[in-house]
Structures are given as C-alpha cells and as structure tokens.
Amino acid sequence: QKEVEQDPGPLSVPEGAIVSLNCTYSNSAFQYFMWYRQYSRKGPELLMYTYSSGNKEDGRFTAQVDKSSKYISLFIRDSQPSDSATYLCAGGDTDKLIFGTGTRLQVFP
Amino acid sequence: SQTIHQWPATLVQPVGSPLSLECTVEGTSNPNLYWYRQAAGRGLQLLFYSVGIGQISSEVPQNLSASRPQDRQFILSSKKLLLSDSGFYLCAWGRQQRYTEAFFGQGTRLTVV
C-alpha cells in the first residue's frame, strides 16, 4: 500500500465550478500536509501547508486535514482555466515529505 | 529571497553512460536537500535527502547515488545509466527544522536511450 493515495484523474470541470481534490494516507506519524500545483514540464509549486488537523484558507483555496480518517482535501472555488494543472498532495513526518501521484485537473472555459 | 537552480533542463544519455545532475540553493544556509524522481503515473518518489554536508539518506536502493560536497550543493550521480532511470528529476530544499515545506527546482528531464 502506498503511503499517500491520490486519484490520478483527469478531472474536467467548467470555469467557475468548485473543485474538490482528495487524498488518503496510511502513515499515522504524518504531522504536516501540503498541496502543490505542477504545470506541465515544471517543478511543483507550494500552494497550501497545514500542520495537523484542521482547515486553512488562502484566497480561492481551502485545505482540510482530518487525521482521524487520514483524509486530505483541497477545495478550489470559482475555478479558472489557469488552475488547469496537476495537483499533488503530500504528508510528512519530521524531515521528509511523501507525495501522492497527483490529480490532473482541466478547467474549460 | 531563496532560489534553487537545477541543470540541465533536459538530457538524453545512452544506456551505460554516467550521469551527474547538479542542484544549488541560494539565499539560505544549512538547508535540507532532496532529490525526487517523477515517473508517469507514479508521482514524486523520494530518492535521497540530506540534512547536512556529507550526510545522505537513501530512500530507494537503486542505480543512483547522491553527494553533498558543500552546504548548498546537491549532486545526483550514476556510474551506468539504465533505461529505467528515465524520468523527471527534481531537486528541492527545505528549512533546517522539523515539518518543513519543500521548495522545488524546475527539474531535469532525463531520457536514457
């Protein structure tokens, strides 16, 4: 079993839709969680960082972590074509991060 | 501000040839450094990480090695490339503390032919 599981998609939504991206993880030692956005042939860029359980909001993006169910979510409100990318979730304990496979999102006008 | 440089951007190498990918970080000291590989459908796989000069932890036993000769320099090497070494290699850095974010370079796309 992979430590972080993520549906690869692709997920295709119309502009303006609310997007929900999800991951599950198996390692109970994970204390912090992140979402990265990766455009084609580029390095991932950090979107959201969350320590332990709870919600975090930044503009159109909301990250949720439920440690009791080992579930990580990213919500994108009012999605834009520029949000089209691959979204990677990650969990970590102390020094290193373990990533999911990424979900490819396509937002069409 | 901190920046991370990784080169080359693309590389085509024959099977059996050596490999050296270099990564440097500017604007910070004592960073954690990481090498990841991204293959289609497999996500980001952590290969090596380093918390200091000469300190390398290997996550996946394979045909690759890493070295950290200077505080902000991280090198990924192979003596003889295999076809299965093809992929997108990403260097990243993090602050020298627990629960740190990783900040990525732009990656090297390696094709072994």
Side-chain angles (χ1 to χ4, degrees):
Chain A
Q1 181 189 10
K2 292 181 181 178
E3 286 190 275
V4 180
E5 300 271 5
Q6 188 175 7
D7 187 335
L11 179 63
S12 186
V13 301
E15 183 175 357
I18 296 175
V19 175
S20 173
L21 302 168
N22 306 293
C23 292
T24 58
Y25 66 96
S26 59
N27 191 335
S28 298
F30 284 174
Q31 292 288 339
Y32 64 121
F33 307 90
M34 294 176 206
W35 283 95
Y36 285 80
R37 178 174 60 197
Q38 185 177 23
Y39 293 111
S40 180
R41 297 183 174 271
K42 300 291 186 183
E45 57 178 322
L46 180 65
L47 270 181
M48 301 287 283
Y49 173 102
T50 309
Y51 180 76
S52 194
S53 284
N55 293 358
K56 186 171 184 178
E57 188 173 322
D58 184 1
R60 296 185 295 112
F61 298 90
T62 300
Q64 286 185 352
V65 176
D66 183 346
K67 291 188 71 181
S68 63
S69 60
K70 296 188 176 67
Y71 204 76
I72 314 165
S73 300
L74 178 70
F75 299 95
I76 306 174
R77 291 182 298 279
D78 187 26
S79 56
Q80 303 294 310
S82 58
D83 294 329
S84 299
T86 296
Y87 289 80
L88 299 151
C89 63
D93 59 348
T94 60
D95 300 313
K96 60 183 187 291
L97 286 173
I98 305 299
F99 284 81
T101 55
T103 299
R104 192 156 59 90
L105 171 67
Q106 179 71 39
V107 181
F108 57 89
Chain B
S1 63
Q2 300 88 2
T3 56
I4 180 168
H5 302 281
Q6 189 181 342
W7 65 92
T10 59
L11 190 60
V12 180
Q13 291 283 100
V15 168
S17 64
L19 173 73
S20 181
L21 301 180
E22 188 166 341
C23 170
T24 59
V25 180
E26 295 179 356
T28 187
S29 57
N30 302 316
N32 290 341
L33 295 173
Y34 310 89
W35 278 111
Y36 285 87
R37 177 169 61 198
Q38 189 173 34
R42 295 190 61 185
L44 280 169
Q45 182 185 32
L46 179 62
L47 301 176
F48 302 94
Y49 72 97
S50 171
V51 297
I53 295 174
Q55 300 178 60
I56 309 294
S57 296
S58 174
E59 290 295 303
V60 182
Q62 56 199 322
N63 188 39
L64 301 169
S65 62
S67 61
R68 183 172 178 174
Q70 300 181 47
D71 180 46
R72 290 170 289 175
Q73 184 185 28
F74 207 22
I75 297 172
L76 183 69
S77 304
S78 173
K79 292 182 179 178
K80 287 186 178 181
L81 284 168
L82 306 172
L83 286 173
S84 57
D85 291 324
S86 294
F88 191 43
Y89 288 83
L90 288 152
C91 181
W93 74 274
R95 282 178 282 270
Q96 187 64 266
Q97 62 186 52
R98 301 184 112 194
Y99 314 129
T100 180
E101 308 97 314
F103 301 96
F104 286 86
Q106 288 304 296
T108 296
R109 188 159 299 279
L110 171 67
T111 303
V112 182
V113 297

